[in-house]
Structure formats: C-alpha cells, structure tokens
C-alpha cells in the first residue's frame, strides 16, 4: 500500500515538473520549432472550421482573365484602356471604390494611333491636343484625378537600392509611432510611375510576414519606408471609402511605461487588432471564389451585370495564365492573392477580426497550470478507463473553450502547448501506471489504447459538438431606424455623394447606439438594426434603448447641418422600439460573429418603425417598452393590429422624463383619444384641432384622427367597434 502511495506521489511530482517546464517555455516564447509548426496547423484547422463558405457580394473582383486578354490584347494594356475601365466602373456601373492588384511602374510604351489616323484622313496639322490624346499615361492620370482609385506598390525588405516609380502620399499617423516599435521596415520599393502616383492613392500588396511554412496567415496593414508609413492595399481602399487619410495607433504599455507595444489601429472609427509588427490575421471567409468574379473585358464592352457591380467595392486582379498571383493560405495551397485583399476588406466591413489578446501569456499559463495540476493529482489515482475519460473530457473542454474564444470573442489562444501537455501527461501517467501495476495486475498487458472502446470516442466527439455555441432566449429590446425617402434621395446623388452622406449619418447614429450600450446588428442599406440585452446581460436594456433612440432624434439636426455644409440633402428618420423575448445567438455559422436576434418581438419592432411614417412621428415604441421605462413620459397614440398579428397592441410616443411637466397639448391629445373611443366624435375633433393649434399647425397623429373621425362620421361603425385600428401594410 505504501509502495502504491509512493508511486502515485512520484508520478504526481513528475507531472507537476513537466507542467512547470511547459509553462516556463510558453511564457518565455521558447517553444520548440516542432511545437510552433503544430500550433500553426491547429490555427489553420480553426480557420477552416470558421469558414462561412458564402459569397460576399459587396466586394467584386474584376478579373483580367484569358477572355479579357483575347479581346483587349496582351498585358500590360495601354493606359487609355485602363482609364476606360475605371470610367466604365464608376460612370456606367456605379461602383464605390476601385483598387488595383497590379503594378503600373513603367511608362506606357504603346502609341494611340487614332489621332494620327484622323490627321492623315483629314489632311490636318498635328496639334497639342492630339499629342495629349496619344499619351496614355496622361489620359490615365487625368482619370485617376477624377475618380477614387487605389494603385498598388510593392516594398522590398532588403534591397535599399531598389527605387522604381513613386510611392504616392504617405499615411498620416496620429499620434506618431515610435521608431522603437517593430513595424515592418521596407528598404526598397516598386511604385507607380510618377505621373500616376501623384494622381491617386497607393497601397502595398506585398507581404514580408509570411509564416515559416510559407503560409499567408497574417498581412501587415502598414509598413515603414524612409520614416514614412504607408497603408496596405485593403486599408487604403477602406480609408477611401471612409474619406480618411489617417490612422490612430493604439499603444499599450506596462506599469512602468518603459515597454510599449502596438495593439490596434483605429481606421475611420473601426479599431483593428494588430500584432506588434502592425499585421492582422486574415479572417478568410471561404475557399477560392468567395467573391464574385467579373471579366474585365465584359466591363469594357458594357455587358457585365449591373446588379453585381452597382455600389460594390472593386479589386482589379488577374487570373490569366502567366499572370496569376497565387498564395499558400490556410484554406488552400493555390489561393489568388487578390482574394487575400478581398478577405481583409470583408473583415473590415463586418468588423470581424481574429487577434491575440494582450493577456494571452497569462491566460495560456493559467490553462496549462490548471490542466497540469488536475491531471497530475487525479490520473495516478484513477483506473485506465476513468483516466482516459477524464483526460478526454479535459481535452474536449480545452478545445471547446478555445473554439468558443475563437468563434465568439475572436481570440486566438495557443492550443498546441496545452494539447501536447494533456497528451504528454496522459501518456506518462498511463504508461507509468501500467508499468507500476503490471506485476500486480497481469491482465493489463495490453496497450492502454485498447482500453478505449469506439463507443467512448464517439461519445466524446458528441460532447464536443454539443459544447459549441447555441442560441438562447432573452428579454431584450430591438431598435429599427430608417431614412425617410432614401430611394428618392439616392437617385439624385452620385455614388461618392451617397457614400459620404451615409458615412456621416451612420457614424453619428452608431456612436449614439454604442454610447448607450447597444449592439449594432446590421446595416440594411440606409436602415439600422440594433439591440440591447446581448451578448452582455443588461437589466436596463429598455431604458438604454429608449435613451439611445431619443438621442438619435436629437442628434439628427446636427447631422443635417454637417450634410448641408457639404451640399448634401437633409435627412429624416423613423425609429421603432420594442422589447420582449427574443432568440439571440449565432444564426449563420458556429464560427462567425454574425450575432443577431429573431422572433415575434423583433418583427414587431420593425413594424413600429414602418408605422412612424403613417403617424408622422419620429419615434414609436410598444406598450411593453413603455411599461419598462417608468422614468419617461409618453403619449398614447393608438391601439392597432399590425399586419400578421391579431392581438391589439398599444402605440406610444416618448415625450420626456417623468420629472418634466406634461405639456398641455399632450393632455388635450389624451382627452381626444378618450372621446374618440367613447364615440364622442365632435369633442374628439375639437381636442385634436386644439392640439394642432397648440403645436403650431403640425401634429401627425392628430391629423390621422381627424381623418378617421371624418370617415367614421360618414360611415358610423357597428356596436362591436372596439376603436382598434387595423393596419394592412407593413
């Protein structure tokens, strides 16, 4: 018995020693190279599991394919033809922005013969205008000056003598970055020819941060060249969309302030997590073909599908043989380089970023210590079967936690070290246990793997699947807002004006929602959908949502002032709020932060937003939300049946907080409602007319009731009339 106790403690001490060694190596970043390669493979597996495998229609790749070369000619094309491509994309198809994944580093050597043909046929004199028309570079530069297109540049990390073309304007970094930060330092550059570079913005497409196994897992967003900073192609396109030319680095330091590290980049209000070298992990959304491809030849001939390109972000790349830019990525060994940029842009649009949190070392050490301590203390005291089950459960738990952090929090937590520690402790404990017990139990002469029945393995796999993120029901509040007459407005604006108008409006409204603890679900064109109460629990979700909606309405005049200053039309919005039980969770993919809400309460919130136009008010809330916000004052507008629901609901318009005095017109409106419901039409009519007078001739709900009274007087209702109005439209 004492021998067994001594053996158990010996195995426990050895297990703890192995744990401390692994924790020490991980903390110091000195894991063996084989472990690091295993870590990269595990990261690739997580990326593959997180693929949505859907096509993102917001980003379109205009492909210089074999068909285009057959119709236009071999690459490089004459610059006037490239200019025609840019003009066609903007003027004929209304794209949002264009980025080129090809270089224009050398002057155009082709000569445009059409002016000479005109001269010969007409017998005229060669003019300066004709000479300009023969200059393809000047033609393209003129086009670039008129439309927002991003040209490509390529940096070289080693060749300081390499200096072809120009880089274009540098990136404004506020506050400036310290030279001590390990930002990628370029030595040479291949840029666009000067005439083009001075007419456009540029972004680099090279990647000096390829992992040791040659796989593109991360890409730098900025590089340093001659004490200036330059954006990647994707970042430059993102800034062009936001009409921004600067970034704000997020720097964190230790308690002493002596050690600083770059943790994120704020670009246009979006905080992008990066590593100390300024690189972000590429959140691939799928295999090759995750973005629509359109032949450049079809664009030039005007036969490309309008619906695919309209409003899209366009990357011009090539798939033609001999020109194909292929990369090794976690999702495939032959992945088009242009789609790497597209994935970065897609992540920026969705604000979906994988990153390593700053407390990563501590978190990894804690999970290793917990695993090592528990397994070292329990495995020596368990049978082979129970030890296998416990180890398997720990392994599944660690993997489940890792995948939860990866899919929901976008944390990239090391998995190789703790996985190998579990395996090492299991093998050590079971092997030594077998050796120590072999003289006592000869029946354990078989290997320990033979003691794991297939049923147990299948059971553990099912447990792992069940631990994946599921949806849940919560009491929440949902907000829908919509710009009135947006379709008409958009038809009067250019794509650039429309983009600018929506950037100003959505930025202001989003800031209000975030300020009141709301979560943006999605932007649906000009509409905003947001909710309160998830992912973090918020007992005051209804109050916070109402405060946000009131501030959105109050902030609109300032937004309109900004729009008016830029010559853009002013906006009006309608907002609907409802609270109730909703299904919240990951509705699309187990590994995508497409967190959304569903249910009847959500649909009712959308209906309320639509009814704001009918009643002529900016904000409508449900009776359920009114009951949750006891500190606010409301006026009851109506009791209605909305389309798709039989049960009557109350509609309310928020007025003020409770400590404010209810205005006289609101009191008269309430009296009018009472008279209306008791069939006292004349008294109700007098009340509503008085409300309109008190409100200087404008009150949408009163106008609605006056029209109803007129209709009811002309055609009196039956005795069953319950004063509930039925809406037949959404």
């Amino acid at each position: 018995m004492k021998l067994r106790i001594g053996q158990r403690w010996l195995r426990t001490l050895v297990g703890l020693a192995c744990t401390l060694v692994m924790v020490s190596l991980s903390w110091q970043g000195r894991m063996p190279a084989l472990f690091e390669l295993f870590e990269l493979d595990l990261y690739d597996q997580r990326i593959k599991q997180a693929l949505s495998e859907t096509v993102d229609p917001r980003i379109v790749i205009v492909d210089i394919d074999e068909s285009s070369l057959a119709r236009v000619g071999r690459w490089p094309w004459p610059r006037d033809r490239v200019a025609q491509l840019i003009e066609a994309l903007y003027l004929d198809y209304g794209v949002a922005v264009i980025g080129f994944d090809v270089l224009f580093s050398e002057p155009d050597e082709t000569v445009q013969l059409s002016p000479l043909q005109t001269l010969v046929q007409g017998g005229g004199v060669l003019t300066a205008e004709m000479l300009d028309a023969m200059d393809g570079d000047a033609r393209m530069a003129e086009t670039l000056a008129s439309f927002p297109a991003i040209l490509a540049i390529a940096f070289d990390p080693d060749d300081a003598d390499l200096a072809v073309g120009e880089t274009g304007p540098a990136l404004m970094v506020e506050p400036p970055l310290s030279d001590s930060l390990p930002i990628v330092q370029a030595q040479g550059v291949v840029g666009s020819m000067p005439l083009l570079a001075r007419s456009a913005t540029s972004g680099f497409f090279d990647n000096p941060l390829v992992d040791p196994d040659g796989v593109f897992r991360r890409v730098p967003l900025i590089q340093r060249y001659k004490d200036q900073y330059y954006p990647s192609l994707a970042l430059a396109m993102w800034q062009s969309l936001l009409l921004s030319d600067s970034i704000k680095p997020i720097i964190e330091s230790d308690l002493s302030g002596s050690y600083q590290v770059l943790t994120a980049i704020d670009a246009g209000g979006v905080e992008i997590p990066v590593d100390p070298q300024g690189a972000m992990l590429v959140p691939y959304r799928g295999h090759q073909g995750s973005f629509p491809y359109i032949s450049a030849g079809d664009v030039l001939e005007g036969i490309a599908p309008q619906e695919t390109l309209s409003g899209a972000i366009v990357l011009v790349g090539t798939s033609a043989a001999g020109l194909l830019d292929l990369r090794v990525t976690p999702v495939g060994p032959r992945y088009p380089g242009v789609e790497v940029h597209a994935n970065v842009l897609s992540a920026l649009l969705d604000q979906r970023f994988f990153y390593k949190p700053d407390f990563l070392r501590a978190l990894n050490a804690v999970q290793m210590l917990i695993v090592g301590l528990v397994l070292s203390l329990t495995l020596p005291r368990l049978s082979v079967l129970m030890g296998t089950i416990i180890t398997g459960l720990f392994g599944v738990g660690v993997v489940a936690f890792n995948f939860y952090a990866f899919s929901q929090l976008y944390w990239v937590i090391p998995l190789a070290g703790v996985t190998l520690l579990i395996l090492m402790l299991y093998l050590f404990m079971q092997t030594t246990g077998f050796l120590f017990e072999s003289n006592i139990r000869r029946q354990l002469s078989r290997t320990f793997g033979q003691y794991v029945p297939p049923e147990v393995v299948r059971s553990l796999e099912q447990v792992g699947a069940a631990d994946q993120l599921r949806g849940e029901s919560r009491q929440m509040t949902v907000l829908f807002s919509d710009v009135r007459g947006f379709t008409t407005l958009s038809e009067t604006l250019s794509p650039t004006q429309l983009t600018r108008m929506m950037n100003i409006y959505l930025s202001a409204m989003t800031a209000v929602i975030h300020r009141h603890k709301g979560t943006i679900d999605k932007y649906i064109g000009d509409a905003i959908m947001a909710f309160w109460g998830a992912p973090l629990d918020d007992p005051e979700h209804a109050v916070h949502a109402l405060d946000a909606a009131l501030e959105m309405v109050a902030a609109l005049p300032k937004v309109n002032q900004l729009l008016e200053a830029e010559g853009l039309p002013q906006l009006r919005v309608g907002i609907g709020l409802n609270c109730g039980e909703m299904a919240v969770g990951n509705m699309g993919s187990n590994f995508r932060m497409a967190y959304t809400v569903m249910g009847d309460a959500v649909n009712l919130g959308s209906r309320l937003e639509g009814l704001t136009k009918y009643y002529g008010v900016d904000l409508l809330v449900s009776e359920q939300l009114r009951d949750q916000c006891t500190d606010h004052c409301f006026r009851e507008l109506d009791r209605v049946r909305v389309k798709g629901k039989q049960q009557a609901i109350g509609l309310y318009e928020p007025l003020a907080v409770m400590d404010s005095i209810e205005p006289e017109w609101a009191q008269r409106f309430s009296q009018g409602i009472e008279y209306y419901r008791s069939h006292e039409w004349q008294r109700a009519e007098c009340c509503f007319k008085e409300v309109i007078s008190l409100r200087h001739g404008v009150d949408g709900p009163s106008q609605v009731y006056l029209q109803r009274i007129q209709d009811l007087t002309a055609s009196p209702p039956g005795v069953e009339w319950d004063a509930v109005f039925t809406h037949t439209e959404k």
Side-chain angles (χ1 to χ4, degrees):
M1 186 67 180
K2 290 182 179 180
L3 180 60
R4 284 192 173 185
I5 294 176
Q7 291 171 351
R8 289 173 181 173
W9 278 111
L10 176 61
R11 294 160 68 193
T12 296
L13 291 175
V14 173
L16 292 175
C18 292
T19 300
L20 292 176
V21 170
M22 290 290 291
V23 170
S24 176
L25 291 174
S26 175
W27 186 269
Q28 299 176 40
R30 297 172 57 187
M31 297 292 283
L34 185 62
F35 282 33
E36 296 293 345
L37 290 176
F38 182 43
E39 186 68 69
L40 294 176
D41 289 338
L42 290 175
Y43 173 81
D44 293 348
Q45 294 303 316
R46 281 172 281 181
I47 284 290
K48 291 176 182 178
Q49 291 299 319
L51 298 180
S52 64
E53 296 293 6
T54 58
V55 176
D56 189 345
R58 300 168 299 180
I59 303 167
V60 178
I61 296 173
V62 172
D63 190 13
I64 304 172
D65 54 7
E66 296 287 356
S67 172
S68 300
L69 297 181
R71 286 178 281 177
V72 180
R74 66 182 181 87
W75 185 263
W77 288 344
R79 296 287 159 76
D80 72 320
R81 189 57 56 90
V82 179
Q84 292 174 16
L85 178 65
I86 298 173
E87 292 173 348
L89 286 170
Y90 277 112
L91 299 179
D92 299 338
Y93 293 97
V95 303
V97 67
I98 304 172
F100 283 91
D101 191 30
V102 292
L103 286 169
F104 300 101
S105 57
E106 302 295 337
D108 187 6
E109 296 180 353
T110 61
V111 177
Q112 308 308 310
L113 298 179
S114 55
L116 291 178
Q117 293 173 350
T118 303
L119 178 66
V120 172
Q121 294 172 359
V125 179
L126 184 64
T127 65
E129 288 77 9
M130 291 182 178
L131 289 175
D132 290 340
M134 296 168 62
D135 188 348
D137 289 328
R139 169 86 165 82
M140 182 174 173
E142 181 181 355
T143 302
L144 290 173
S146 302
F147 301 101
I150 314 301
L151 301 182
I153 57 177
F155 288 115
D156 190 286
D158 303 314
D159 190 355
D161 296 327
L162 181 64
V164 178
E166 292 187 3
T167 59
L171 190 62
M172 293 179 60
V173 181
E174 301 174 353
L177 287 168
S178 170
D179 292 340
S180 62
L181 295 175
I183 306 299
V184 177
Q185 175 69 56
Q187 300 299 323
V189 66
V190 177
S192 300
M193 61 169 296
L195 184 61
L196 301 181
R198 295 165 189 169
S199 302
T201 306
S202 299
F204 63 84
F205 60 36
D206 59 286
N207 183 9
L209 298 179
V210 180
D211 285 323
D213 56 355
V215 178
F216 271 56
R217 296 183 181 89
R218 58 182 183 139
V219 293
L221 293 183
I222 56 174
Q223 288 193 57
R224 183 189 295 125
Y225 178 67
K226 292 185 177 179
D227 297 326
Q228 297 286 338
Y229 292 89
Y230 296 88
S232 68
L233 179 60
L235 180 59
M237 294 177 68
W238 172 252
Q239 291 189 291
S240 178
L241 283 172
L242 300 180
L243 303 180
S244 171
D245 60 356
S246 66
I247 62 170
K248 177 183 178 182
I250 310 299
I251 306 293
E252 295 187 3
S253 59
D254 58 9
L255 294 177
S256 65
S258 58
Y259 178 75
Q260 293 187 330
V261 63
L262 177 66
T263 60
I265 291 174
D266 187 321
V270 175
E271 193 170 299
I272 311 168
V274 295
D275 62 20
Q277 293 177 291
M280 69 172 283
L281 293 167
V282 182
Y284 293 96
R285 64 180 295 118
H287 293 87
Q288 180 179 355
S290 297
F291 304 90
Y293 276 73
I294 292 180
S295 174
D298 289 349
V299 175
L300 287 170
E301 293 179 4
I303 60 175
Q306 180 77 37
E307 64 276 6
T308 302
L309 283 169
S310 179
I313 300 169
V314 170
L315 277 161
V316 179
T318 177
S319 67
L323 300 178
L324 187 58
D325 178 26
L326 296 178
R327 297 288 183 264
V328 180
T329 69
V331 296
R334 294 173 57 82
Y335 195 85
V338 65
E339 284 204 38
V340 176
H341 306 304
N343 277 284
V344 175
L345 278 168
S346 180
L348 289 169
L349 290 171
D350 294 333
Q351 298 185 31
R352 183 174 66 101
F353 309 111
F354 297 121
Y355 69 101
K356 298 179 180 180
D358 52 3
F359 51 85
L360 187 63
R361 286 198 304 173
L363 179 61
N364 191 36
V366 168
Q367 71 174 356
M368 280 189 172
L369 286 172
I370 292 175
V371 167
L373 182 62
V374 173
L375 294 184
S376 297
L377 290 174
T378 58
L379 289 184
R381 292 158 177 78
L382 299 175
S383 65
V384 174
L385 179 59
M386 287 304 300
T388 301
I389 294 175
I390 294 298
T391 304
L393 290 175
F394 254 91
V396 169
V398 168
V399 172
F401 169 72
N402 193 287
F403 271 85
Y404 170 80
F406 188 81
S407 61
Q408 299 305 309
L409 306 175
Y410 293 166
W411 293 353
V412 181
I413 303 174
L415 187 57
V418 68
T419 302
L420 292 171
L421 177 61
I422 292 174
L423 181 61
M424 182 170 58
L425 290 176
Y426 171 76
L427 292 177
F428 170 76
M429 296 298 178
Q430 302 297 46
T431 303
T432 55
F434 173 75
L435 293 176
F436 288 151
E437 298 292 331
S438 60
N439 293 329
I440 302 172
R441 298 183 178 183
R442 297 186 181 275
Q443 65 270 29
L444 298 180
S445 58
R446 293 176 296 173
T447 62
F448 282 97
Q450 294 172 317
Y451 283 83
V452 183
E455 294 81 9
V456 174
V457 176
R458 286 194 294 269
S459 176
L460 293 176
E461 291 175 351
Q462 292 173 0
V463 171
D467 283 346
Q468 295 177 359
L469 180 66
R470 293 179 177 177
E472 60 178 316
S473 293
R474 286 192 185 185
Q475 288 292 325
M476 300 173 56
T477 300
V478 67
L479 175 148
F480 287 86
S481 75
D482 192 58
V483 175
R484 302 276 178 79
F486 178 76
T487 302
T488 303
L489 286 175
S490 62
E491 292 174 352
T492 64
L493 300 175
S494 68
T496 301
Q497 290 175 315
L498 184 60
T499 299
R500 179 58 179 163
M501 181 180 71
M502 294 313 300
N503 285 342
I504 293 174
Y505 167 73
L506 291 177
S507 296
M509 298 298 108
T510 300
V512 172
I513 292 172
H514 286 173
R515 194 155 50 242
H516 292 277
K517 304 180 181 180
T519 298
I520 298 294
D521 187 299
K522 58 179 70 72
Y523 300 117
I524 313 170
D526 59 301
I528 301 174
M529 177 181 175
F531 54 83
W532 282 257
L536 296 179
D537 189 32
D538 183 7
E540 299 292 322
H541 55 84
V543 175
H544 292 154
L546 180 57
D547 289 342
L550 290 170
E551 187 173 338
M552 289 170 68
V553 174
L556 194 60
K558 185 175 181 181
V559 172
N560 284 329
Q561 289 179 2
L562 295 175
L563 295 174
E564 185 178 13
E566 296 193 22
L568 298 172
Q570 297 191 3
L571 303 178
R572 285 196 61 198
V573 299
I575 302 174
L577 282 176
N578 184 41
C579 65
E581 188 173 65
M582 305 173 192
V584 59
N586 194 331
M587 303 297 176
S589 167
N590 288 334
F591 301 99
R592 185 178 179 187
M593 194 68 172
Y595 204 64
T596 189
V597 291
M598 296 179 66
D600 287 340
V602 178
N603 297 334
L604 180 56
S606 178
R607 299 287 189 275
L608 294 179
E609 180 275 318
L611 290 179
T612 57
K613 291 178 285 188
Y614 176 81
Y615 290 97
V617 296
D618 296 323
L619 176 58
L620 270 181
V621 305
S622 66
E623 186 173 3
Q624 293 88 340
L625 189 133
R626 191 273 320 254
D627 293 339
Q628 296 288 326
C629 301
T630 56
D631 290 339
H632 290 74
C633 181
F634 302 81
R635 70 160 165 168
E636 183 182 12
L637 294 186
D638 208 352
R639 289 194 62 80
V640 302
R641 295 184 184 93
V642 298
K643 183 176 177 60
K645 295 182 73 68
Q646 294 300 319
Q647 184 178 2
I649 62 171
L651 302 183
Y652 294 82
E653 180 186 17
L655 299 180
V657 294
M658 270 304 211
D659 58 356
S660 299
I661 300 176
E662 186 179 23
E664 180 183 356
W665 62 264
Q667 298 175 17
R668 297 297 293 156
F669 185 88
S670 298
Q671 293 175 359
I673 291 286
E674 294 177 5
Y675 290 140
Y676 170 81
R677 291 174 178 171
S678 59
H679 297 223
E680 297 180 70
W681 312 122
Q682 292 182 348
R683 289 187 174 184
E685 184 177 17
C686 291
C687 289
F688 294 130
K689 287 182 177 179
E690 185 176 352
V691 171
I692 294 174
S693 176
L694 290 172
R695 301 203 71 187
H696 308 290
V698 179
D699 187 64
S702 296
Q703 295 286 3
V704 168
Y705 276 102
L706 289 175
Q707 181 61 49
R708 286 188 191 174
I709 291 172
Q710 182 179 347
D711 296 339
L712 291 170
T713 303
S715 179
V719 294
E720 301 84 10
W721 184 69
D722 57 0
V724 176
F725 188 79
T726 300
H727 286 277
T728 58
E729 297 181 356
K730 295 183 178 179

